[in-house]
Amino acid sequence: YKPDMGSLSSATQLDSVVRHVSDALDKGATVLAGGKARPDIGPYFFEPTVLTDTSPGMTLYCEETFGPVVALYRVSGTAEAIGRANDSNYGLNFSVWTRDTDKATEIATQLQAGSVNVNEAYAASWGSVDAAMGGWKDSGVGSRHGEHGFLKYTNTQTVAIQHLLPIARP
């Protein structure tokens, strides 16, 4: 047996993930999978976790967890889902899951994030070096990858030279 997923980066990050999951559970969330730190594997391991029965009053609703945690929220329809997704100071990455790519595109263009993946959690936008990658709102300024990402490391300058000399008059 060996892990399929890497460790969190520090004790501070593990504490943040534990705090977010504990807060959700204290406020009525249900663990569908995972939910525990795994010191038996390594000092900063946390099980991939899926939570349901979550609500906007939970810490993980409004703060970035940056850990292997997915919180599922029930909504009444697409408009509410978009509104809830955008109800945050953060906008790094969203996922839209549907067989209808036209609908996915319509939803994606309304989401306030630097990346929106359809039927993919994250890797599609990260793995494409031709696609700009960056966050909106408090998730970051600017982007990396792609033409726009590379241009942030450049300074532009225009040098204009007039090649026609004025006509001398006697």
Short mmCIF file of all heavy atoms in Angstrom, two decimals, residues 10 19 21 67 132 154:
data_model
loop_
_atom_site.label_atom_id
_atom_site.label_comp_id
_atom_site.label_asym_id
_atom_site.label_seq_id
_atom_site.Cartn_x
_atom_site.Cartn_y
_atom_site.Cartn_z
N SER A 10 2.38 21.69 4.81
CA SER A 10 2.87 22.09 6.13
C SER A 10 1.84 21.76 7.21
O SER A 10 0.67 21.49 6.92
CB SER A 10 3.12 23.61 6.16
OG SER A 10 1.89 24.31 6.03
N ARG A 19 -9.51 22.30 10.43
CA ARG A 19 -10.43 23.32 10.96
C ARG A 19 -11.66 23.47 10.06
O ARG A 19 -12.79 23.52 10.55
CB ARG A 19 -9.70 24.65 11.10
CG ARG A 19 -10.52 25.76 11.73
CD ARG A 19 -9.71 27.03 11.98
NE ARG A 19 -8.89 27.45 10.85
CZ ARG A 19 -9.34 28.22 9.84
NH1 ARG A 19 -10.60 28.61 9.82
NH2 ARG A 19 -8.53 28.57 8.86
N VAL A 21 -12.98 21.27 7.88
CA VAL A 21 -13.81 20.06 7.93
C VAL A 21 -14.52 19.96 9.27
O VAL A 21 -15.73 19.68 9.33
CB VAL A 21 -12.98 18.80 7.61
CG1 VAL A 21 -13.78 17.53 7.86
CG2 VAL A 21 -12.49 18.85 6.16
N GLY A 67 -7.03 22.09 0.21
CA GLY A 67 -6.80 20.73 0.63
C GLY A 67 -7.72 19.81 -0.14
O GLY A 67 -8.57 20.26 -0.91
N ALA A 132 -3.85 30.63 -20.58
CA ALA A 132 -3.53 31.46 -19.43
C ALA A 132 -4.14 30.85 -18.17
O ALA A 132 -5.22 30.29 -18.20
CB ALA A 132 -4.06 32.87 -19.64
N THR A 154 7.29 40.94 -19.60
CA THR A 154 7.93 41.79 -20.61
C THR A 154 7.56 43.25 -20.38
O THR A 154 6.56 43.57 -19.75
CB THR A 154 7.49 41.40 -22.03
OG1 THR A 154 6.09 41.65 -22.17
CG2 THR A 154 7.79 39.95 -22.33
#
